[in-house]
């Protein structure tokens, strides 16, 4: 879930143990470097693929449990219509990584497109698609948590809305949007496949698919917005300490950081 002004977060799936003052497992590897490969195909179509890179841990450990060999079901029988600002990705890469990593292709397309976009905008950030995929995995199982599914449009159905941030389970976060985004006029809630709270969405929300709308429930918009938040501090995410610091801006919990890091490391091996 996302932190408003980098100091508050929620989570839709499980309790978050905030890491302030608690011991942290050392993460001796850097994830998230984006390597962009461009190829010119027949007809002059440029295809770009975002590739995650990482450094092996100093003391190798078993990777996190592998997702299913085949991608979870999602309503992607027909590809979404082409949009003016959409990034073109190599279909063969999408097919292979989706199947091998167990990430729905619709979600993978959003993560990779967001990484390519941020690499063009902020090349010094070196954000990898696998970092976004790790967040998407932990936050919402790539848009499939609690019976939701990811549609061909990139929207989740039904909507993914977290618990009220009333201080019972998470840091209290009084309402900031009059309930317009999360339907709660008393407390903020995390919303969408990347679990943004309304105040943070107001700061970082981006149009990821070029349709002229900025929608918290749409995976392209949510992934690009998450990428913008992660790169906002201006850090080089190939540096392990910077990777952790950027992720702290999403959720300052040691357990959350470790969960995302393990998922991101697992995904990195596929692309």
């Amino acid at each position: 879930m996302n932190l408003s002004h980098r100091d508050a977060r929620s989570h839709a799936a499980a309790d978050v143990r905030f890491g302030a003052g608690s011991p942290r497992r050392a993460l001796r590897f850097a994830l998230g470097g984006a390597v962009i490969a461009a190829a010119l195909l027949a007809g002059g179509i440029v295809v770009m693929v975002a590739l995650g890179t990482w450094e092996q841990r100093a003391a190798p450990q078993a990777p996190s449990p592998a997702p299913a060999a085949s991608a979870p079901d999602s309503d992607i029988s027909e590809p979404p219509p082409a949009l003016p600002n959409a990034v073109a990705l190599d279909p063969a890469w999408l097919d292979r990584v989706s199947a091998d990593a167990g990430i729905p292709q619709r979600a993978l397309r959003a993560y990779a497109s967001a990484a390519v976009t941020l690499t063009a905008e902020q090349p010094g950030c070196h954000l990898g698609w696998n970092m976004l995929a790790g967040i998407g995995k932990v936050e919402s199982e790539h848009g499939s948590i609690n019976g939701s599914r990811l549609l061909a449009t990139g929207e989740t159905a039904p909507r993914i809305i977290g618990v009220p941030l009333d201080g019972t389970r998470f840091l209290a976060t009084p309402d900031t949007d009059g309930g317009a985004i999360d339907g709660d006029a008393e407390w903020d809630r995390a919303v969408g496949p990347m679990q943004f709270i309304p105040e943070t969405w107001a700061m970082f929300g981006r149009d990821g698919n070029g349709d002229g709308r900025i929608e918290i429930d749409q995976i392209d918009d949510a992934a690009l917005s998450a990428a913008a938040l992660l790169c906002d501090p201006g850090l080089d995410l190939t540096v392990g300490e910077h990777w952790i610091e950027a992720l702290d801006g999403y959720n300052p919990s040691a357990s959350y950081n470790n969960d995302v890091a393990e998922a991101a490391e697992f995904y990195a091996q596929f692309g």
Side-chain angles (χ1 to χ4, degrees):
M1 76 205 71
N2 290 194
L3 188 72
S4 172
H5 296 302
R6 302 184 179 273
D7 63 6
R9 289 289 186 274
S10 71
H11 197 280
D15 288 335
V16 172
R17 297 181 294 278
F18 286 91
S22 64
R24 302 186 61 144
R25 178 170 65 83
L27 299 175
R28 296 182 298 276
F29 56 95
L31 294 169
V35 179
I36 309 305
L40 201 58
L41 302 183
I45 300 174
V46 176
V47 178
M48 295 189 291
V49 180
L51 304 178
T53 62
W54 76 103
E55 296 175 3
Q56 194 65 30
R57 298 170 189 252
Q61 300 178 13
S64 55
S70 59
D73 291 337
S74 60
D75 185 8
I76 55 171
S77 57
E78 295 183 3
L83 294 165
N85 295 334
V87 173
L89 298 170
D90 183 353
W93 183 89
L94 288 169
D95 288 342
R96 176 180 62 80
V97 175
S98 175
D100 292 348
I103 302 174
Q105 190 173 128
R106 189 65 187 83
L108 178 61
R109 183 187 304 135
Y111 304 144
S113 295
V116 170
T117 298
L118 259 293
T119 295
E121 293 180 358
Q122 299 185 47
C125 180
H126 299 128
L127 173 68
W129 70 268
N130 58 305
M131 185 177 192
L132 294 170
I135 292 171
K137 165 73 174 175
V138 172
E139 292 289 3
S140 72
E141 289 288 340
H142 308 302
S144 69
I145 197 170
N146 296 335
S148 187
R149 63 178 181 145
L150 198 58
L151 305 178
T153 60
E155 297 174 336
T156 53
R159 297 185 73 202
I160 301 172
I161 302 179
V163 299
L165 302 181
D166 58 5
T168 302
R169 293 173 56 195
F170 308 104
L171 186 66
T173 307
D175 173 68
T176 60
D177 69 327
I181 293 176
D182 56 16
D184 190 333
E186 184 176 5
W187 302 99
D188 268 351
R189 298 175 182 239
V191 178
M194 301 299 275
Q195 287 290 278
F196 274 88
I197 61 174
E199 186 174 12
T200 311
W201 184 253
M203 297 169 61
F204 292 100
R206 296 277 302 271
D207 178 8
N209 60 2
D211 66 355
R213 299 189 299 270
I214 300 176
E215 301 172 290
I216 199 169
D217 299 302
Q218 206 279 337
I219 187 67
D220 300 305
D221 293 0
L224 182 58
S225 302
L229 187 158
L230 293 167
C231 287
D232 182 62
L235 303 174
D236 178 355
L237 301 188
T238 61
V239 178
E241 292 81 2
H242 293 175
W243 197 93
I244 293 171
E245 183 177 343
L247 191 57
D248 275 350
Y250 219 93
N251 187 322
S253 159
S255 61
Y256 178 89
N257 197 304
N258 291 338
D259 288 345
V260 171
E262 287 171 3
E265 182 181 20
F266 173 78
Y267 291 142
Q269 67 184 302
F270 299 109

